[in-house]
């Protein structure tokens, strides 16, 4: 059992590595060599990365790639993706090519409202609280004026504050349920700062409100925080084409479309399938969200909450055939930013946004939703035809070869070999042994 360390955050990076190596790592020399190998040779760039967070030891690489040829609302995009899963970018590129020949993707933003709440406890007369709220609402809005000034110039700000009575769920529980427009920023800091100012102002006003008795004056602010559930910050992505254009692997277009719709119906009614189905969508979404320096945890939490908004976890995508026309679509909540946060700090996020032609947050919502829809199309298309392992293992071949420490010449020869053979770990091992003997 190791002893706790105090003052760890104050140690220099080298000292932290030394302590960790001595305490937890078997081959401490090799471990510290690896950690240092991933430092950026440019000290200023290394410092920038270290300052994103606390106790940084090194940098954690993910491949940063691009899926070109995405036709979205008549414009062509190359979509940057940060992802380690071997088949994701290839699948996105394939889906982009497929739908590019069939009119491309259509995407539309349905709303951009974000939500934050002040959660508080109040024991007393409900009518008095309502009257108090009506009086204090303009004071609350006035109190955040200095915080809102710049956001207002960009067309955003506080949209509304509502008093919500939640006492049916929890005794004495009320909320200020606040809505915001944050334009091109994700807005987390802006929203949280406004909420904390609302909370202080509310508390002070309650203390000084003559109509409240002493218990009512003592309202307790429990917490003030934005919500990552943003069902009114919504984007829709869609593709469609005549069913005859969907023929695949010897299947007629009609049969493919019918099987595709069936696969989606299964994801709609069966949560075990829905989670995996939606995971495939998140392969595309997270990759772009990460590449553009956005908060993928917020996006994940919000999207999965949305997928269970009716009380049962269900598919995010839907498909139908009507009048021989196949339609495949998705609506998802996405709180994204193209200014502020990491977007303007991480050199690769800046490049990612430049590749996307410096989109507004609304345009980025459309691009991200399309990446998710494309990924889901590619996954379901494989699942209902060849199965996913064929393509997946082809893309995974290089990982297996690296695991087996194949030389560049061996890799070249085996990549050629596996163009005509099924990839599995044992098949690659065997083929490598054959070459070596
Ligand atoms: C793998 O990362 C994603 C899939 O499982 C998605 C799906 O099953 O739809 C292929």
């Amino acid at each position: 059992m190791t002893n706790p360390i105090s003052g760890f955050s104050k140690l220099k990076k080298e000292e932290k590595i030394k302590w960790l190596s001595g305490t937890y790592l078997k081959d401490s020399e090799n471990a510290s060599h690896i950690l240092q190998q991933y430092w950026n040779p440019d000290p200023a760039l290394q410092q920038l990365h270290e300052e994103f967070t606390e106790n940084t030891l090194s940098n954690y690489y993910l491949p940063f790639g691009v899926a070109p040829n995405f036709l979205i609302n008549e414009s062509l995009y190359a979509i940057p993706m940060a992802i380690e899963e071997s088949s994701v970018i290839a699948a996105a590129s394939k889906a982009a090519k497929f739908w590019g020949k069939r009119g491309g993707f259509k995407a539309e933003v349905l709303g951009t409202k974000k939500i934050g709440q002040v959660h508080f406890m109040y024991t007393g007369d409900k009518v008095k609280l309502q009257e108090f709220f009506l009086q204090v609402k303009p004071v609350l809005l006035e109190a955040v004026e200095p915080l809102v000034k710049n956001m207002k110039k960009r067309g955003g700000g506080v949209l509304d504050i509502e008093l919500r009575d939640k006492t049916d769920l929890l005794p004495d529980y009320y909320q200020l349920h606040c809505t915001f427009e944050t334009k091109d920023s994700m807005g987390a800091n802006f929203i949280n700062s406004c909420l904390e100012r609302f909370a202080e102002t509310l508390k002070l006003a309650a203390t000084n409100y003559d109509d409240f008795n002493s218990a009512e004056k003592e309202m307790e602010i429990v917490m003030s925080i934005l919500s990552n559930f943003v069902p009114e910050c919504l984007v829709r992505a869609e593709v469609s084409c005549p069913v005859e254009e969907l023929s695949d692997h010897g299947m007629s277009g009609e049969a493919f479309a019918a099987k595709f719709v069936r696969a989606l119906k299964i994801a709609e009614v069966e949560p075990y399938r829905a989670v995996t189905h939606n995971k495939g969508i998140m392969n595309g979404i997270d990759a772009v969200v990460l590449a553009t320096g956005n908060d993928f945890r917020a996006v994940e939490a919000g999207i999965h909450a949305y997928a269970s908004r009716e009380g049962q976890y269900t598919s995010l995508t839907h498909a139908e055939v009507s009048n021989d026309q196949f339609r495949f679509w998705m609506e998802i909540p996405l709180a994204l930013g193209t200014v502020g946060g990491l977007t303007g700090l991480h050199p690769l996020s800046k490049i990612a946004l430049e590749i996307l032609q410096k989109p507004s947050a609304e345009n980025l919502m459309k691009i991200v939703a399309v990446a998710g829809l494309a990924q889901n199309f590619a996954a379901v298309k494989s699942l209902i035809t060849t199965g996913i392992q064929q393509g997946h293992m082809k893309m995974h071949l290089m990982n297996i070869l690296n695991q087996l420490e194949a030389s560049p010449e061996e890799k070249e020869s085996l990549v050629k070999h596996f163009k005509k053979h099924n990839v599995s770990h044992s098949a690659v091992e065997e083929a490598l042994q054959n070459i070596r003997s």
Side-chain angles (χ1 to χ4, degrees), residues 25 32 45 67 137 153 178 197 203 208 305 373 396 401:
L25 300 165
S32 61
L45 210 47
K137 187 171 166 178
K153 279 189 206 145
C178 314
R197 188 66 59 84
K203 174 85 183 143
N208 296 328
L373 189 76
H396 193 53
L401 289 170

Side-chain angles (χ1 to χ4, degrees), residues 172-214:
D172 301 336
Y173 171 34
Y174 296 84
Q175 296 170 349
L176 295 183
H177 182 93
C178 314
T179 41
F180 299 86
E181 168 57 60
T182 63
K183 300 309 276 183
D184 284 337
S185 64
M186 191 254 191
N189 283 332
F190 168 72
I191 293 175
N192 288 334
S193 300
C194 287
L195 292 171
E196 289 188 3
R197 188 66 59 84
F198 288 154
E200 283 162 24
T201 313
L202 183 80
K203 174 85 183 143
L204 187 66
T207 317
N208 296 328
Y209 191 61
D210 289 340
D211 284 356
F212 279 165
N213 63 33
S214 57

Side-chain angles (χ1 to χ4, degrees), residues 241-385:
C241 73
V243 285
E244 74 214 28
E245 290 182 22
L246 289 172
S247 62
D248 194 353
H249 286 87
M251 235 191 254
S252 72
E254 210 172 28
F256 177 93
K259 196 169 179 191
F260 194 99
V261 170
R262 248 187 327 271
L264 264 76
K265 290 280 173 238
I266 291 173
E268 282 170 11
V269 299
E270 164 55 57
Y272 279 94
R273 172 59 198 146
V275 172
T276 319
H277 179 90
N278 290 349
K279 187 274 181 185
I281 297 171
M282 300 315 292
N283 278 344
I285 291 180
D286 281 343
V288 193
V289 169
L290 254 178
T292 55
N294 274 279
D295 182 343
F296 61 93
R297 286 86 56 210
V299 165
E300 283 273 352
I303 289 183
H304 295 299
Y306 190 76
S308 31
R309 68 196 181 286
E310 311 282 353
Q312 180 183 304
Y313 193 88
T314 184
S315 168
L316 292 161
T317 51
H318 308 281
E320 68 173 20
V321 174
S322 163
N323 297 328
D324 296 327
Q325 192 74 9
F326 170 78
R327 240 164 42 86
F328 174 49
W329 74 95
M330 170 172 78
E331 279 176 18
I332 47 162
L334 275 176
L336 300 176
T338 53
V339 299
L342 209 63
T343 58
L345 273 181
H346 197 299
L348 287 175
S349 308
K350 288 200 253 182
I351 300 261
L353 289 167
E354 205 178 325
I355 294 173
L356 292 173
Q357 306 295 291
K358 302 208 166 127
S360 62
E362 289 198 24
N363 265 344
L364 185 60
M365 285 166 78
K366 295 178 197 169
I367 293 163
V368 169
V370 163
L373 189 76
Q375 203 63 43
N376 186 230
F377 179 77
V380 176
K381 184 175 187 292
S382 295
L383 285 168
I384 64 167
T385 54

